[in-house]
Amino acid sequence: MRSAVKTLSSRTLLPYRYSRSNFPRPNLHRTMATAPDSKQPPSPIKPLPIASPSASILLISPSNQILLLRRVQASSSFASAHVFPGGHIDSEDGPLPPHGDVRLHEDSPAYRVGALRECFEESGILLARDRSKKNNSNDTPSSSSSSSSSSSSSLLLQLTEQERDAGRNAIHKKQVCFQDWVRAHGGIPDTESLHPFTRWLTPAHIPKRFSTQMYLYFLPLAHPGIPQSLHIPTCDGGVEHTEAQFLPASEWLSLARAGKIVLFPPQFFLLTLVANFLTAAADDDDGGGPTAETLQAQRERLRDFLRTGDPPWGEKCISPWPLKKEGKRLIMGLDEPGPELDGTDRRGDAERVVFVQFKGKEGTSGMEVGWRKDVVDPGLDEEDEEKYLEARRKERERSRAGDGDLEQALRGRREKL
């Protein structure tokens, strides 16, 4: 089978739509699994590891750069990788539906509060509004001018560095509830300015799983009424992270491609999407960098993009699965929402795939985002396409059954294709 592979440049976001009849969902409610062409009795599928609720923020700086944190080497998940600020949802963040309830995997106040709390604990940046100031105009999706950002700046809760450090430490040690601490200082967590931007469910074969709600948050554009120190990230002293830095999305991607940092598929994929809108803008006539109007226009285009797609990006739920193997790289499908949501109307992205080589403790390499239409051979007719994807679904179930490693499972039906 030929492999016609194209990757996404920063200007190739034209939609390609698939018929759901050509790409039906696998049934993940099977209780037994049998290796193809085997006379051995079926083996029971391992219990599905629980996906812990978590949330992360793509925090966008006043100059439209993205914050990433480098996790410590001893971390139990994503060791040494660069990640968005975020983490587990605590009971103090708010109530959540029980495990087994599909509503657990939907945006809710608990996820939003947890995202803001984790961002503060990990980066020192407090995303809270000052309750004493009236919100007549803010930097929301309905805003269309840079003046809205200036108004938003004056509404942020402004605390001294000492106050923020003391609160950050107390909240991390669970000596005080994040929401109570913010209210005690005259603020309220700025949950309304979070924009949902996909949910990710860890694949079923991985023991430590998460159900992670991703958000975008736009820090106000530069304004003389707010200290720049409020927007400077700092690491947490090596507790969970060793570095905290804003860089353009395109620069983070270049560092990952050069092997200088480790990114995992969710971070690489979302940075690729964002890089198409928050670009390295030209300086203004005075050489002072991009104007506020230019930066605001980029933000508006990104907000418009969030409302596109079927489903829109704020509603997509993605659980990557091995669609195909190309050399040492897996080609991960992004259309499935995960086993917890099988049988619901939740869906991911049926148009794109992620190429990645997993290298154990070394992380990943060779990552790119491409079009799915270029991976599933466009020369196949519908019947052959269905056979191709049915084989992939069986490989996926085999890997979940634990009858061999992922590479062995992918190799299972190659000759038949």
Side-chain angles (χ1 to χ4, degrees), residues 214-289:
M214 298 287 189
Y215 297 101
L216 285 172
Y217 187 101
F218 298 90
L219 285 169
L221 301 181
H223 182 259
I226 186 169
Q228 291 188 0
S229 60
L230 297 182
H231 298 159
I232 297 177
T234 56
C235 70
D236 59 6
V239 178
E240 296 183 32
H241 304 93
T242 59
E243 298 174 17
Q245 186 178 8
F246 279 108
L247 283 178
S250 58
E251 190 166 338
W252 286 124
L253 294 171
S254 295
L255 290 171
R257 293 186 181 106
K260 295 182 179 180
I261 66 170
V262 174
L263 294 177
F264 281 88
Q267 289 77 20
F268 191 94
F269 180 74
L270 295 179
L271 284 170
T272 299
L273 297 180
V274 169
N276 288 278
F277 302 95
L278 306 184
T279 59
D283 290 348
D284 61 16
D285 294 338
D286 297 329

Side-chain angles (χ1 to χ4, degrees), residues 238-363:
V239 178
E240 296 183 32
H241 304 93
T242 59
E243 298 174 17
Q245 186 178 8
F246 279 108
L247 283 178
S250 58
E251 190 166 338
W252 286 124
L253 294 171
S254 295
L255 290 171
R257 293 186 181 106
K260 295 182 179 180
I261 66 170
V262 174
L263 294 177
F264 281 88
Q267 289 77 20
F268 191 94
F269 180 74
L270 295 179
L271 284 170
T272 299
L273 297 180
V274 169
N276 288 278
F277 302 95
L278 306 184
T279 59
D283 290 348
D284 61 16
D285 294 338
D286 297 329
T291 64
E293 289 75 16
T294 298
L295 295 171
Q296 185 69 17
Q298 291 182 1
R299 294 177 172 207
E300 295 302 330
R301 288 194 292 269
L302 178 54
R303 290 188 183 111
D304 289 342
F305 173 71
L306 295 183
R307 295 189 283 269
T308 66
D310 181 20
W313 288 95
E315 300 175 15
K316 290 186 193 298
C317 187
I318 299 174
S319 184
W321 65 285
L323 175 66
K324 191 177 178 182
K325 199 158 189 285
E326 181 190 71
K328 295 182 179 180
R329 296 194 301 179
L330 288 174
I331 303 177
M332 307 298 290
L334 305 174
D335 58 322
E336 292 302 322
E340 287 89 346
L341 296 172
D342 187 43
T344 70
D345 60 357
R346 300 292 297 277
R347 289 176 290 155
D349 181 10
E351 299 175 1
R352 298 168 184 82
V353 294
V354 171
F355 298 78
V356 59
Q357 179 184 358
F358 291 103
K359 304 177 69 175
K361 292 183 179 180
E362 297 179 33

Side-chain angles (χ1 to χ4, degrees), residues 91-133:
S91 58
E92 292 182 342
D93 297 325
L96 284 173
H99 288 285
D101 190 328
V102 296
R103 294 174 298 172
L104 178 64
H105 310 288
E106 297 175 358
D107 177 31
S108 71
Y111 281 104
R112 292 180 176 234
V113 171
L116 298 178
R117 174 185 53 76
E118 286 284 348
C119 181
F120 182 49
E121 287 185 30
E122 295 184 340
S123 72
I125 297 178
L126 178 61
L127 306 177
R129 298 279 183 177
D130 190 331
R131 285 187 299 171
S132 67
K133 298 179 180 178

Side-chain angles (χ1 to χ4, degrees), residues 26-322:
N27 181 2
L28 296 179
H29 289 306
R30 291 176 51 184
T31 57
M32 307 291 281
T34 307
D37 306 323
S38 172
K39 295 183 180 180
Q40 296 180 355
S43 57
I45 289 180
K46 295 180 180 180
L48 182 67
I50 289 176
S52 299
S54 64
S56 291
I57 298 177
L58 280 75
L59 186 60
I60 298 171
S61 76
S63 58
N64 285 357
Q65 298 183 355
I66 307 295
L67 176 63
L68 288 185
L69 313 174
R70 185 180 183 182
R71 292 186 64 82
V72 296
Q73 190 174 5
S75 176
S76 60
S77 58
F78 307 109
S80 298
H82 279 72
V83 298
F84 307 124
H88 290 280
I89 304 303
D90 288 345
S91 58
E92 292 182 342
D93 297 325
L96 284 173
H99 288 285
D101 190 328
V102 296
R103 294 174 298 172
L104 178 64
H105 310 288
E106 297 175 358
D107 177 31
S108 71
Y111 281 104
R112 292 180 176 234
V113 171
L116 298 178
R117 174 185 53 76
E118 286 284 348
C119 181
F120 182 49
E121 287 185 30
E122 295 184 340
S123 72
I125 297 178
L126 178 61
L127 306 177
R129 298 279 183 177
D130 190 331
R131 285 187 299 171
S132 67
K133 298 179 180 178
K134 195 172 182 179
N135 186 3
N136 293 321
S137 175
N138 57 22
D139 196 16
T140 63
S142 61
S143 303
S144 59
S145 68
S146 58
S147 61
S148 63
S149 293
S150 299
S151 203
S152 177
S153 298
S154 62
L155 295 170
L156 289 176
L157 182 63
Q158 300 182 29
L159 302 179
T160 66
E161 183 177 352
Q162 291 74 20
E163 287 175 317
R164 296 197 307 274
D165 286 346
R168 181 182 182 185
N169 184 56
I171 293 166
H172 180 76
K173 292 180 178 180
K174 299 189 182 302
Q175 296 173 346
V176 63
C177 169
F178 170 67
Q179 297 182 78
D180 292 343
W181 180 84
V182 172
R183 291 191 184 98
H185 286 78
I188 183 170
D190 192 15
T191 56
E192 293 183 0
S193 295
L194 290 168
H195 304 265
F197 187 32
T198 68
R199 174 177 290 271
W200 292 74
L201 267 166
T202 309
H205 68 277
I206 296 178
K208 192 169 185 178
R209 301 180 64 236
F210 301 94
S211 177
T212 305
Q213 179 65 57
M214 298 287 189
Y215 297 101
L216 285 172
Y217 187 101
F218 298 90
L219 285 169
L221 301 181
H223 182 259
I226 186 169
Q228 291 188 0
S229 60
L230 297 182
H231 298 159
I232 297 177
T234 56
C235 70
D236 59 6
V239 178
E240 296 183 32
H241 304 93
T242 59
E243 298 174 17
Q245 186 178 8
F246 279 108
L247 283 178
S250 58
E251 190 166 338
W252 286 124
L253 294 171
S254 295
L255 290 171
R257 293 186 181 106
K260 295 182 179 180
I261 66 170
V262 174
L263 294 177
F264 281 88
Q267 289 77 20
F268 191 94
F269 180 74
L270 295 179
L271 284 170
T272 299
L273 297 180
V274 169
N276 288 278
F277 302 95
L278 306 184
T279 59
D283 290 348
D284 61 16
D285 294 338
D286 297 329
T291 64
E293 289 75 16
T294 298
L295 295 171
Q296 185 69 17
Q298 291 182 1
R299 294 177 172 207
E300 295 302 330
R301 288 194 292 269
L302 178 54
R303 290 188 183 111
D304 289 342
F305 173 71
L306 295 183
R307 295 189 283 269
T308 66
D310 181 20
W313 288 95
E315 300 175 15
K316 290 186 193 298
C317 187
I318 299 174
S319 184
W321 65 285

